[in-house]
Amino acid sequence: MLEFASLVILTAVLVSLIVFAIRGRHGFRFADPENGTLHVTGVSPRPDALGEQYVTITGNLTGPSVPGTVVYGRFACDTNSWPEIGDFFTVVYPPGKPDRWQISQPG
């Protein structure tokens, strides 16, 4: 009986690892993402270094199922196109989970 239980547990772990490996290879995708708008209310200072640097953005996200939620995120951004307070970005997020937003890529 103990051998059977161990076999079932090992099989479940193996299947889980395979699913995570396949999911990781294809990247994370939203099943049916919602589009929303992020109004930037706070942004980290632009560094003196040139090129791509990390920026932290705080803002108010609104969308079809989100009346207005304060969110934040950290992204890599070129210092020549650093976001500013008052900017608006089109974002996507899983329905009902605005805290998992991503800036929508054009095209």
Side-chain angles (χ1 to χ4, degrees), residues 36-56:
T37 303
L38 177 71
H39 177 232
V40 178
T41 58
V43 62
S44 59
R46 180 175 26 204
D48 293 332
L50 298 177
E52 198 169 76
Q53 303 291 326
Y54 283 105
V55 59
T56 303

Side-chain angles (χ1 to χ4, degrees), residues 48-92:
D48 293 332
L50 298 177
E52 198 169 76
Q53 303 291 326
Y54 283 105
V55 59
T56 303
I57 298 173
T58 303
N60 190 26
L61 188 149
T62 56
S65 65
V66 179
T69 302
V70 175
V71 295
Y72 71 95
R74 186 171 188 231
F75 303 94
C77 181
D78 190 293
T79 55
N80 292 324
S81 59
W82 205 256
E84 296 178 358
I85 293 175
D87 285 349
F88 287 91
F89 291 104
T90 301
V91 296
V92 293

Side-chain angles (χ1 to χ4, degrees), residues 35-36 89-92 101-107:
N35 291 313
F89 291 104
T90 301
V91 296
V92 293
W101 62 278
Q102 297 177 358
I103 295 176
S104 179
Q105 299 299 323

